[in-house]
Amino acid sequence: MASALSAFRVSISRISSFRARQFSYPATSGLAHTKRIICSSSHSLSPSDTSSSSVSLMGTNENARWRPMCLYYTHGKCTKMDDPAHLEVFNHDCSKELPVTAADLKGKKPQEFDFFLVLDLEGKVEILEFPVLIVDARTMQVVDLFHRFVRPTKMSEQAINKYIEGKYGEVGVDRVWHDTAIPFKQVVEEFEGWLAEHGLWGKETDGALNDAAFVTCGNWDIKTKIPEQCVVANINLPQYFMEWINLKDVYLNFYGREARGMVSMMKQCGIRLMGSHHLGIDDTKNITRVVQRMLADGAVFKITARRSKSNMRNVEFLFKNRIK
């Protein structure tokens, strides 16, 4: 076993420093049909969390060695959970990068929603990646993550291969994408099953979310891209995409300063960027870290945009002071 572990480490060391650093750590609840992996509760609050040695969401634990998340695990397809060499290199705990301590809760205010669903899509021609992270509005804890790579509906295999190589090849996750990607229609079906398991959605509620709201870094994801993808996939736009919270608008109105994107928000707040920018699950986690910081600072999250029920192309923006 020792020789096997040594050989594995040698093979990993041959990856370039860029690829090793940014390789992939998206963590989620691999809902492969009936299988669901809940986030570890290793960061639940306890009296000891109030000590100065606790790792706050305001920073990162410099003593803990960062490991990329196993992307097969996020899809419920990891077959190496009993392999010490694999476990030595890859993380399988989706809460490690997003800890919360008791001190972080002191300035938090009551929220209108019980849960926030942080979403950050990837893919400009068609959606390639669909990550969603649940944050408990009361505790700020990560509850669970949903992550799916999405196979384009209308593109040729040649176009897909070129698209994926350009998008994910440089961070070393193109092979995982090809092994796990599924059509958008199936992603939506699995996502709805995942929401229902958490009690956040059900057909009996007319398709709306139950005490939860989407949080996105901008309007594009839900306002534009999801409706476009629904047309391409020949499915109706789900009712739970009728309203959302644009983090940029909440950030502007709470702090009184403008931030055009996730990276600028993190810089202004002094939060270190983790993982690979434009790998959807990493961006979702980083956006969540901004959400946690804002909650800790006392921000109240309200719906910022809502579709017209009579004409879904019409969107009403509810904040007078907003990013345009």
Side-chain angles (χ1 to χ4, degrees), residues 25-45:
Y25 81 96
T28 166
S29 71
L31 176 63
H33 302 291
T34 59
K35 182 177 181 180
R36 182 162 61 94
I37 305 169
I38 299 296
C39 288
S40 167
S41 59
S42 61
H43 296 292
S44 58
L45 297 177

Side-chain angles (χ1 to χ4, degrees), residues 1-10 84-85:
M1 181 58 70
S3 61
L5 179 57
S6 176
F8 189 85
R9 283 173 172 161
V10 169

Side-chain angles (χ1 to χ4, degrees), residues 26 40 90 98 112 149 195 206 217 239 247 289 296 311:
S40 167
F90 293 99
L98 298 160
E112 296 183 6
F149 285 128
L195 287 174
D206 296 325
C217 190
Q239 291 297 304
L247 185 63
R289 295 168 71 211
N311 185 350

Side-chain angles (χ1 to χ4, degrees), residues 124-183:
K124 293 182 178 180
V125 179
E126 290 194 43
I127 293 174
L128 299 178
E129 190 177 356
F130 189 99
V132 181
L133 187 153
I134 302 176
V135 176
D136 187 312
R138 182 179 62 85
T139 67
M140 303 194 303
Q141 294 277 358
V142 173
V143 176
D144 203 359
L145 281 163
F146 179 89
H147 179 237
R148 290 294 179 272
F149 285 128
V150 186
R151 180 167 292 278
T153 303
K154 299 295 185 181
M155 297 174 66
S156 68
E157 282 300 313
Q158 182 179 4
I160 289 175
N161 291 338
K162 184 177 180 180
Y163 193 18
I164 297 306
E165 175 60 29
K167 174 66 178 174
Y168 292 119
E170 66 177 12
V171 292
V173 301
D174 48 329
R175 182 67 268 163
V176 185
W177 187 96
H178 283 291
D179 287 346
T180 60
I182 57 177

Side-chain angles (χ1 to χ4, degrees), residues 24 33 47 83 115 160 167 199 242-243 250 256 287 291 299 316 318:
S24 62
H33 302 291
D83 182 346
F115 299 96
I160 289 175
K167 174 66 178 174
M242 292 294 288
E243 61 182 25
V250 179
I287 292 168
V291 170
E316 180 184 7
L318 306 179

